[in-house]
Amino acid sequence: MLRNYLKIALRNLKKYKIDSFISLSGLAIGLCCCIILIMYVRFEWSYDNFHTEKNSIYRLTEQTVNFRNNEVRHSTILPYPQSIALEEEFPEIKSLINISGGSAQFLKDGKYILEPIKFADPEFLSEFTFPLIFGDSKTALSNVDNIVITESAAKKYFGKTNAVGELMTIRLRDEPKDFMVSGIAKDVPANSSIQFNFLIPFENQISSAPAKEQKTLRESWYIGFLETWITLKEDATKEDLEAKFPAFLERHYGSNWVERDKIKYGLQPLSQVYFNENYRSGVTQSSNKTYSLILGSIAFVILLIAGINFMSLTLSRYTSRYHEIGIRKTVGAIRHQIKFQIIGEVFITCSFAIILGIVLAELLAPYSGVLFQKELDLSLLSDPVLWISVLGLLVILTLITSFYPAVKISGKNATSLFSDDKTAQKIPMLIKGLIVVQFGLAITLMIGTYVMQGQINFILNKDLGFNPENVVAVEINSELQNALKIGQLYSTEAERIPGVLSTSITAGKYRDYSEYGVVDIGMAQMRSVTTLSQLGDGIPSEAVDAQYLETMDIELLNGVNFSRQANSFPSDEIIVNQVFVDAMGWDNPIGQILEDKPENQGWVGPFDGKKVIGVIENYHFKSLYDPLQPMALQHIETVERNPGTILIRLSSDRMPETISNLKSLWNSIAGQEAFNLSFMDDMVQHQYNEEIRWNRIIRISSMASILLACFGLFGLSALVAQRRIKEIGIRKVFGASIKNILVLISKDFVLLVVCGFTISAPVAWYLSNQWLTGFSYKIDLDALPFLYGGLTVLLIALTTVSWQSVKAAFQNPVENLRNE
Amino acid sequence: MIKLRNIDRYIDKRLQRNFILKGIDLDIAEGDFVSIMGPSGAGKSTLLNIIGFLDDANEGEYYFLDEPVHSLNEKQKSEYHRSYIGFVFQAYHLIDELTVYENIEMPLLYRKVKGSQRKSMVADMLDRFNIVAKKDLFPNQLSGGQQQLVGVARALIGSPKLILADEPTGNLHSDQSKEIMETFKKLNKEDGVTIIQVTHSDEMASYGDRVINLQDGAVTENNPYEEE
């Protein structure tokens, strides 16, 4: 008996090749997409799970309120003395680990290579789970001259894994220093929010600074440059410790300060670090939880669409099998045997599709990195969650799909099955409903994709107030004694190269740490204890030269630029932006002199006595997540700062040649230093890497879901056309034109898509609005994405359906009628 | 064998009740070869379906082998159906996806006959109808007459006591029809199988030994030939 069912099932699959292929492969592809997407979502959610002590590790967070505009600021970048005080005053802290990020030059084959590094306290390796292959976790970082590197770094620098005992020559600042490799760590898992290849003891972060700055770094409560991580003793709780923070802050900052800035410290569990967007830092990676939720929902939607395909095709195939079931009844099949047959058949085809999907996912998983732009190790088949959910899916899909035909068909008596056979041409209501749901989902995704795309284009093309195109940044190691000389020589020489339009020396760093969600586009935060209360507690400032405005293409609104003649400028001139002027409430900014003397405190604010000589257009030196801030430009020679970057504006033609000329110029002037050149427009774009990456993932996934939906529509319209072939034949004999036939078949489906649109439009509108609220600068939601989304899907659907209708319409009616 | 008393079969349409069969009284003894005749729409097929348990009467009593069918449940009916009744249809009603062999075998599957026994029974049947060579063909590869032979073979495989044939020769030309009717006659005479057929043709009816005329859902003439 089972064999008989199996035979029938297989032969039916064979007979209805197109729609079996579609329902099977559709489900398989859908499942494959779903598995891969869910795996990725699980990967995102698995961040930092691998730490064995994950439940007792916390990151210290700081929250302040800008008293000027009540804007809440979140930070994890804290000053050094708080860590000393915390450790001394709270015995419940088991260990306290400071971590900071930076970069250093590593000597390899006679040349220095810039590598990102992490500074960390010795307990780092024993509290976090970053196992060492060679060396001792407890002592590896206890000597200041030690370095721990990862396996792959060891291979890169020494060509072998066991490099313990080897020396590495590193320049943290100006002077090279030898570090001894004391441990080789296993490569950091991709799902770790703390990433490193080179790890050196934290003390180096401070001791490598210039002597006069070291004291400030050690003692100032106002300069943040590190993240503090804490593990608690077993009997201590997070809440108890947090309750003691207000008193702690008052002791050290004084009550005035705490009250004004509403400073709060908090402890953030390790498990919340990755998804907390409020605390973006250059030390730890973070991501937006919303995106992984969106992706998870898309995965679910794709599965739903594939499931609906499978269901609607299977269901509509059953209506053409009334005849067979009728015969079975006349030869003595009873109701539950028919049910069993239907359920069994569905179960078999369904398992087949699911196995196919898993195989497909397993084959494609290694390539999924291309889509996600993250290397992740997806070990699918060993994952019990996969098997359990797939089993669940099999059962659910089988039950839902077979329940309706099983109950409905098995209940009919044989005679009505024979006579219904000829009337079962219309699509059943249930299937129509499913199609509406399917297209509703697809259109929602499509609209969402358009809105997202629009927002991202808006951000990428927004007028930033400066022109990042054709500007390159050449980095200078600002710790070099003669950095300013090198910079000036290089920039003068560079201007002679044809294709270079202008150059400018600035103190800021232009560096791309986009994998940490941070891109530095110049600017230093002068955290002043300013009395300029209108400006808040910090003013971003950049030390530049007179060519800065020209090179960056920033408009001077009012006043004058710095003088171009060397040594002819008074040291107290600044240029401010329009927001600065607005915040100060000046009607006449030019010539204003700032007063920045805090009461009762010994030191002078950085802007005290500065005179405003010019006002420039506001420009976005930070990403568009941040609103515009007041900022000031100072001349680099007046602030005794070394240059960090030479900005060069190039002409757009023959750029490769110009760049290679710039490189050879660099080698002749500063041969031992590595040549680091980056494009400003790339850096600007990289600020939104995370958004661009997610947009891509989401766009591709929604395309997949729409294609799947159309896949199903294709199968269904084929089925309908096939079933209405006699009707079409008769109509043609009696004079229907091909156009009439096309309309006849397509109009039902078009109506369903329109219904889907009506349902999805408000949903899409709500969701898009929700997403957009996260941006400071955003597009207005208008009808266009809705129009595009609806039309795209309608067009795709129409093409799909007409493929079948055209085929049916062009068939010779005589043939069709004879076949009946 | 069959006893129908005051059988009604109707369809309710809003305010009106359309009778397909009305007040049918009928007795058919074991070993009869009965032909039901009448114009289109007289209710011939409906009567046959009711007798064959494929359809239920709305009113009246039906005794099959003295068992009151009208009060049997589905399972019991199915039991009778399987062990006593074989069907032959005008449109053959073979399953397109199954071969000749598998079509004939199917009723045995529902009867849970063992594999080896099934094989010999099917082989027997193929032999009997001279279609051994065609056993691996699918229905659409056969002529109408051959398909109907398969249909008859399928009806007979469970060795039923009663064969119900709904215009078995309606789609066949005369030679094929004769072959089928000869087969029925032989079955009736040699194996004592009761046969009830619906037919339009006097020639086909003449193979039987009793004719029932139906008109507008009622029996108008019972056994017209016998009275001649």
PDB file of all heavy atoms in Angstrom, chain B residues 177-189:
ATOM      1  N   SER B 177     -18.135  -3.525 -27.335  1.00  0.00           N
ATOM      2  CA  SER B 177     -19.281  -3.653 -26.439  1.00  0.00           C
ATOM      3  C   SER B 177     -19.676  -5.110 -26.276  1.00  0.00           C
ATOM      4  O   SER B 177     -19.941  -5.585 -25.170  1.00  0.00           O
ATOM      5  CB  SER B 177     -20.482  -2.887 -27.003  1.00  0.00           C
ATOM      6  OG  SER B 177     -20.102  -1.564 -27.269  1.00  0.00           O
ATOM      7  N   LYS B 178     -19.694  -5.786 -27.383  1.00  0.00           N
ATOM      8  CA  LYS B 178     -20.092  -7.206 -27.344  1.00  0.00           C
ATOM      9  C   LYS B 178     -19.161  -8.000 -26.452  1.00  0.00           C
ATOM     10  O   LYS B 178     -19.606  -8.807 -25.633  1.00  0.00           O
ATOM     11  CB  LYS B 178     -20.062  -7.791 -28.763  1.00  0.00           C
ATOM     12  CG  LYS B 178     -21.419  -7.696 -29.434  1.00  0.00           C
ATOM     13  CD  LYS B 178     -21.362  -8.314 -30.815  1.00  0.00           C
ATOM     14  CE  LYS B 178     -22.562  -7.820 -31.614  1.00  0.00           C
ATOM     15  NZ  LYS B 178     -22.237  -7.712 -33.059  1.00  0.00           N
ATOM     16  N   GLU B 179     -17.866  -7.704 -26.601  1.00  0.00           N
ATOM     17  CA  GLU B 179     -16.887  -8.452 -25.815  1.00  0.00           C
ATOM     18  C   GLU B 179     -17.154  -8.260 -24.325  1.00  0.00           C
ATOM     19  O   GLU B 179     -17.156  -9.218 -23.539  1.00  0.00           O
ATOM     20  CB  GLU B 179     -15.483  -7.937 -26.174  1.00  0.00           C
ATOM     21  CG  GLU B 179     -14.387  -8.849 -25.701  1.00  0.00           C
ATOM     22  CD  GLU B 179     -13.001  -8.259 -25.966  1.00  0.00           C
ATOM     23  OE1 GLU B 179     -12.896  -7.302 -26.771  1.00  0.00           O
ATOM     24  OE2 GLU B 179     -12.040  -8.739 -25.344  1.00  0.00           O
ATOM     25  N   ILE B 180     -17.386  -6.981 -23.955  1.00  0.00           N
ATOM     26  CA  ILE B 180     -17.641  -6.687 -22.537  1.00  0.00           C
ATOM     27  C   ILE B 180     -18.914  -7.398 -22.075  1.00  0.00           C
ATOM     28  O   ILE B 180     -18.959  -8.046 -21.020  1.00  0.00           O
ATOM     29  CB  ILE B 180     -17.791  -5.165 -22.332  1.00  0.00           C
ATOM     30  CG1 ILE B 180     -16.499  -4.428 -22.710  1.00  0.00           C
ATOM     31  CG2 ILE B 180     -18.193  -4.846 -20.899  1.00  0.00           C
ATOM     32  CD1 ILE B 180     -15.341  -4.629 -21.779  1.00  0.00           C
ATOM     33  N   MET B 181     -19.980  -7.306 -22.898  1.00  0.00           N
ATOM     34  CA  MET B 181     -21.253  -7.899 -22.479  1.00  0.00           C
ATOM     35  C   MET B 181     -21.165  -9.415 -22.382  1.00  0.00           C
ATOM     36  O   MET B 181     -21.737 -10.022 -21.478  1.00  0.00           O
ATOM     37  CB  MET B 181     -22.388  -7.474 -23.431  1.00  0.00           C
ATOM     38  CG  MET B 181     -22.756  -6.014 -23.397  1.00  0.00           C
ATOM     39  SD  MET B 181     -22.774  -5.255 -21.766  1.00  0.00           S
ATOM     40  CE  MET B 181     -24.193  -6.075 -21.068  1.00  0.00           C
ATOM     41  N   GLU B 182     -20.401 -10.009 -23.310  1.00  0.00           N
ATOM     42  CA  GLU B 182     -20.208 -11.465 -23.232  1.00  0.00           C
ATOM     43  C   GLU B 182     -19.534 -11.830 -21.918  1.00  0.00           C
ATOM     44  O   GLU B 182     -19.896 -12.813 -21.267  1.00  0.00           O
ATOM     45  CB  GLU B 182     -19.352 -11.960 -24.414  1.00  0.00           C
ATOM     46  CG  GLU B 182     -20.069 -11.986 -25.774  1.00  0.00           C
ATOM     47  CD  GLU B 182     -21.290 -12.896 -25.788  1.00  0.00           C
ATOM     48  OE1 GLU B 182     -21.344 -13.832 -24.953  1.00  0.00           O
ATOM     49  OE2 GLU B 182     -22.206 -12.660 -26.621  1.00  0.00           O
ATOM     50  N   THR B 183     -18.572 -11.023 -21.564  1.00  0.00           N
ATOM     51  CA  THR B 183     -17.879 -11.271 -20.306  1.00  0.00           C
ATOM     52  C   THR B 183     -18.852 -11.228 -19.145  1.00  0.00           C
ATOM     53  O   THR B 183     -18.836 -12.099 -18.256  1.00  0.00           O
ATOM     54  CB  THR B 183     -16.788 -10.199 -20.085  1.00  0.00           C
ATOM     55  OG1 THR B 183     -16.055 -10.052 -21.287  1.00  0.00           O
ATOM     56  CG2 THR B 183     -15.880 -10.585 -18.955  1.00  0.00           C
ATOM     57  N   PHE B 184     -19.707 -10.197 -19.153  1.00  0.00           N
ATOM     58  CA  PHE B 184     -20.701 -10.086 -18.071  1.00  0.00           C
ATOM     59  C   PHE B 184     -21.608 -11.304 -18.034  1.00  0.00           C
ATOM     60  O   PHE B 184     -21.883 -11.871 -16.968  1.00  0.00           O
ATOM     61  CB  PHE B 184     -21.560  -8.824 -18.271  1.00  0.00           C
ATOM     62  CG  PHE B 184     -20.888  -7.562 -17.798  1.00  0.00           C
ATOM     63  CD1 PHE B 184     -21.347  -6.307 -18.196  1.00  0.00           C
ATOM     64  CD2 PHE B 184     -19.801  -7.620 -16.938  1.00  0.00           C
ATOM     65  CE1 PHE B 184     -20.741  -5.154 -17.756  1.00  0.00           C
ATOM     66  CE2 PHE B 184     -19.191  -6.457 -16.497  1.00  0.00           C
ATOM     67  CZ  PHE B 184     -19.654  -5.223 -16.909  1.00  0.00           C
ATOM     68  N   LYS B 185     -22.025 -11.685 -19.218  1.00  0.00           N
ATOM     69  CA  LYS B 185     -22.981 -12.787 -19.297  1.00  0.00           C
ATOM     70  C   LYS B 185     -22.364 -14.073 -18.748  1.00  0.00           C
ATOM     71  O   LYS B 185     -23.000 -14.818 -18.002  1.00  0.00           O
ATOM     72  CB  LYS B 185     -23.414 -12.989 -20.754  1.00  0.00           C
ATOM     73  CG  LYS B 185     -24.597 -13.916 -20.890  1.00  0.00           C
ATOM     74  CD  LYS B 185     -25.288 -13.707 -22.217  1.00  0.00           C
ATOM     75  CE  LYS B 185     -26.555 -14.580 -22.277  1.00  0.00           C
ATOM     76  NZ  LYS B 185     -27.240 -14.394 -23.566  1.00  0.00           N
ATOM     77  N   LYS B 186     -21.096 -14.250 -19.142  1.00  0.00           N
ATOM     78  CA  LYS B 186     -20.392 -15.429 -18.689  1.00  0.00           C
ATOM     79  C   LYS B 186     -20.281 -15.431 -17.167  1.00  0.00           C
ATOM     80  O   LYS B 186     -20.511 -16.435 -16.500  1.00  0.00           O
ATOM     81  CB  LYS B 186     -18.999 -15.442 -19.325  1.00  0.00           C
ATOM     82  CG  LYS B 186     -18.442 -16.824 -19.536  1.00  0.00           C
ATOM     83  CD  LYS B 186     -17.210 -16.738 -20.449  1.00  0.00           C
ATOM     84  CE  LYS B 186     -16.046 -17.450 -19.778  1.00  0.00           C
ATOM     85  NZ  LYS B 186     -14.751 -16.966 -20.243  1.00  0.00           N
ATOM     86  N   LEU B 187     -19.937 -14.271 -16.639  1.00  0.00           N
ATOM     87  CA  LEU B 187     -19.805 -14.138 -15.189  1.00  0.00           C
ATOM     88  C   LEU B 187     -21.110 -14.496 -14.491  1.00  0.00           C
ATOM     89  O   LEU B 187     -21.150 -15.184 -13.482  1.00  0.00           O
ATOM     90  CB  LEU B 187     -19.459 -12.688 -14.831  1.00  0.00           C
ATOM     91  CG  LEU B 187     -18.004 -12.281 -14.871  1.00  0.00           C
ATOM     92  CD1 LEU B 187     -17.904 -10.774 -14.690  1.00  0.00           C
ATOM     93  CD2 LEU B 187     -17.227 -13.017 -13.794  1.00  0.00           C
ATOM     94  N   ASN B 188     -22.175 -13.966 -15.101  1.00  0.00           N
ATOM     95  CA  ASN B 188     -23.493 -14.165 -14.520  1.00  0.00           C
ATOM     96  C   ASN B 188     -23.908 -15.634 -14.526  1.00  0.00           C
ATOM     97  O   ASN B 188     -24.335 -16.179 -13.514  1.00  0.00           O
ATOM     98  CB  ASN B 188     -24.491 -13.307 -15.292  1.00  0.00           C
ATOM     99  CG  ASN B 188     -25.883 -13.426 -14.738  1.00  0.00           C
ATOM    100  OD1 ASN B 188     -26.764 -13.941 -15.421  1.00  0.00           O
ATOM    101  ND2 ASN B 188     -26.087 -12.986 -13.507  1.00  0.00           N
ATOM    102  N   LYS B 189     -23.666 -16.266 -15.655  1.00  0.00           N
ATOM    103  CA  LYS B 189     -24.113 -17.653 -15.808  1.00  0.00           C
ATOM    104  C   LYS B 189     -23.196 -18.610 -15.059  1.00  0.00           C
ATOM    105  O   LYS B 189     -23.646 -19.510 -14.358  1.00  0.00           O
ATOM    106  CB  LYS B 189     -24.154 -18.049 -17.293  1.00  0.00           C
ATOM    107  CG  LYS B 189     -25.263 -17.356 -18.071  1.00  0.00           C
ATOM    108  CD  LYS B 189     -26.610 -18.005 -17.760  1.00  0.00           C
ATOM    109  CE  LYS B 189     -27.777 -17.180 -18.236  1.00  0.00           C
ATOM    110  NZ  LYS B 189     -27.954 -15.851 -17.644  1.00  0.00           N
TER     111      LYS B 189
END
